[in-house]
């Protein structure tokens, strides 16, 4: 096994990346290797989808499937080897159907791509694992060197993050054939094992730009379906009664669950990246959406163990439910999987609701603790004039975007310390699950404007970008000239693609942490620093001073 895609990857002097029997996340070598094989089949599928477009053949089913299946290989999404192999078989079947369709139009249609005809050699997982060795991401490292490998992985992992957002958008009926075309072209190209540094850097920027469009259509899907988020108070304490917890990014699953639990006496709580749902008018209208439970994904083995009802995982991040012995109470959806855990297909949550009714629920209500969420794109851009006025009257000095993914490394206390040490005349804009490090603290306000502004999920980085662009337009300056600094925590591949998006838009001087991606070499980090001013966190005091004086 070789996997180096997330921040918690194993880093020892002997090994850079998870390369033993099991990754830090709990992914086994078997599943990891089979995911490499799946990616290779998806690259072959994309090569044919790209070719088919030259015959004006666009198959929506394939366009939807390809990024969705790729999403299953994202950190903390799918640990079920059998389902991974199932996706690989489906990719091959779809590829063959597409090839046949091309041949029906042009009997001489052919494709010069190393993965164009890839077949699985066996039904046996052990044999497939042996086959997968040829597709390990580091297979030709000795030949190409660490820098090229690092850039390839930057592209592959960035595209994986974008694929995840494509799937989130598709769930809400949003897709764009031009984006699928770009996705297939890049995915197919990465399957040719490119080794040109400039081409790979350009590809990374193209992925970032593509993802900006993906986040835009995802934003449209969410706001057209559930309305524009507005500031909303959310109780983060338990309410007496039967309960279901729903986690992940999929608002449609939450909507369906709320509809089906209405009138049943079962309360619904959001967890993790589902917290921003409370800001959407069409979701908060359900009175039994009573609050938010728990914190960042890395605490789930303790928090889920204590939750007295079923838990639904709609997307990342799931970790081993056996540890907290709640495996019989957790349900996976969509591309999420854990061996032995019940997987819900379709939109019928009856089985989950029945389980909630059989379980104890919370025996009593705790004293309310309210936090505010819901600063979506429209609310943020609507506040642009207020922000400009506060700055002009010297009431507001600086805005810090402090957000991103959470994780379990102790160094991540940096982000709590940073937020709490932001001076009182500055605002903190936050998003994604990294906010749980500080979102229950009281930061007060500046002339009625809360000092902590929660913009939403990780993909709502789109809203923060639109706010920055709006402010820059109104002030007649560039985004990099604003009194705005980005201090981003990263963990998985969605964070990587958001970073690529920001870089591709020309945003400079971003500070990231808690550690640099293990796949980026010192040379590559130096290139990113030179081109974009991207740098690692140091100490809170030093970074704060440097960012305020920039
Ligand atoms: Fe290791 Fe992260 Fe890959 Fe899991 S996802 S195997 S922790 S690098
Ligand atoms: Fe968190 Fe897993 Fe990335 Fe959408 S839920 S941000 S880590």
């Amino acid at each position: 096994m070789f996997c180096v895609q997330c921040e918690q990857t194993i880093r020892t002097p002997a090994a850079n990346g998870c390369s033993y029997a099991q990754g830090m996340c709990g992914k086994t070598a078997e599943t990891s290797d089979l995911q490499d094989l799946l990616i290779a089949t998806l690259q072959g599928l994309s090569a044919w989808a790209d070719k088919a477009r030259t015959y004006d053949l666009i198959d929506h089913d394939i366009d939807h499937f390809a990024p969705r299946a790729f999403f299953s290989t994202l950190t903390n999404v799918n640990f079920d080897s059998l389902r991974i192999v199932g996706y690989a078989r489906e990719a091959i079947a779809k590829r063959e159907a597409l090839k046949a369709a091309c041949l029906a139009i042009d009997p001489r249609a052919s494709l010069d791509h190393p993965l164009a005809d890839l077949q699985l050699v066996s039904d046996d997982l052990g044999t497939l694992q042996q086959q997968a060795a040829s597709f390990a991401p580091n297979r030709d490292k000795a030949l190409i060197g660490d820098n090229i490998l690092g850039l390839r992985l930057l592209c592959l992992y960035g595209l994986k993050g974008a694929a995840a957002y494509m799937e989130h958008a598709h769930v809400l009926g949003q897709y764009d054939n031009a984006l699928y075309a770009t996705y297939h072209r890049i995915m197919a190209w990465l399957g040719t094992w490119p080794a040109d540094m400039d081409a790979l850097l350009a590809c990374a920027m193209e992925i970032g730009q593509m993802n900006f469009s993906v986040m835009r259509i995802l934003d449209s899907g969410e706001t057209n379906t559930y309305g524009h988020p507005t500031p909303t108070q959310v109780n983060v304490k338990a309410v007496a009664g039967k309960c279901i917890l729903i986690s992940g990014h999929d608002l449609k699953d939450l909507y369906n669950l709320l509809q089906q639990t209405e009138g049943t006496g079962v309360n619904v709580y959001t967890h993790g990246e589902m917290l921003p749902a409370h800001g959407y008018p069409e979701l908060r209208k359900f009175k039994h959406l009573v609050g938010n439970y728990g914190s960042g994904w890395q605490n789930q083995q303790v928090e889920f163990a204590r939750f007295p009802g079923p838990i639904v995982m709609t997307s990342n991040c799931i970790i081993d439910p056996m540890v907290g012995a709640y495996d019989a109470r957790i349900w996976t959806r969509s591309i999420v999987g854990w061996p032995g855990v019940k997987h819900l297909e379709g939109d019928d949550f009856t089985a989950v609701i029945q389980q909630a009714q059989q379980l104890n629920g919370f025996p009593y209500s705790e004293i309310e603790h309210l936090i505010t969420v819901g600063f979506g794109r429209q609310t943020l851009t609507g506040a642009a004039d207020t922000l400009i006025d506060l700055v002009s009257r010297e009431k507001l000095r600086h805005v810090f975007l402090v957000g991103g993914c959470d994780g379990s490394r102790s160094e991540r206390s940096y982000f709590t310390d940073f937020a709490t040490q932001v001076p009182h005349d500055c605002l903190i804009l936050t998003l994604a699950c990294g906010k749980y490090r500080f979102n229950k603290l009281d930061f007060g306000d500046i002339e009625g404007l809360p000092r902590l502004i929660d913009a939403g999920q990780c993909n709502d980085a789109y809203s923060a970008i639109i706010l920055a662009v709006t402010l820059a337009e109104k002030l007649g300056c560039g985004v990099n000239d604003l009194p705005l600094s980005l201090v981003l925590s990263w963990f998985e591949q969605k964070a990587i693609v958001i970073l690529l998006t920001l870089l591709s838009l020309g945003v400079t001087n971003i500070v990231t942490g808690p550690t640099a991606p293990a796949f980026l070499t010192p040379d590559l980090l130096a290139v990113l620093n030179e081109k974009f001013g991207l740098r690692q966190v140091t100490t809170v005091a030093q970074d704060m001073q440097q960012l305020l004086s920039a």
Side-chain angles (χ1 to χ4, degrees), residues 165 249 273 297 316-317 404-406 432-433 458 491-492 494:
Y165 291 138
H249 301 71
E273 280 284 72
W297 64 268
N316 50 316
C317 283
C405 299
D406 210 348
C433 61
C458 46
F491 174 67
E492 35 78 341
K494 286 177 170 175

Side-chain angles (χ1 to χ4, degrees), residues 357-402:
Q357 280 160 335
Q358 284 154 12
L359 291 167
N360 293 337
F362 287 107
Y364 56 86
S365 297
E366 296 171 334
I367 297 169
E368 253 187 6
H369 175 178
L370 299 174
I371 62 170
T372 305
V373 302
F375 292 86
R377 173 170 52 85
Q378 201 178 67
T379 302
L380 286 177
T381 50
D385 288 336
T386 307
L387 292 173
I388 291 170
D389 174 55
L390 288 172
V391 171
S392 70
R393 290 191 291 114
E394 297 186 356
K395 298 287 178 196
L396 171 61
R397 184 160 39 136
H398 206 88
V399 178
F400 291 96
L401 194 163
V402 188

Side-chain angles (χ1 to χ4, degrees), residues 1-10 17-18 22-27 32 73-76 79 491 493:
M1 119 176 239
F2 175 74
C3 183
V4 68
Q5 65 182 353
C6 80
E7 198 270 335
Q8 69 179 3
T9 198
I10 292 170
C18 297
Q22 184 167 309
M24 277 299 284
C25 58
K27 184 166 73 172
S32 182
T73 70
L74 191 127
T75 299
N76 289 342
F79 297 77
F491 174 67
Q493 300 83 63

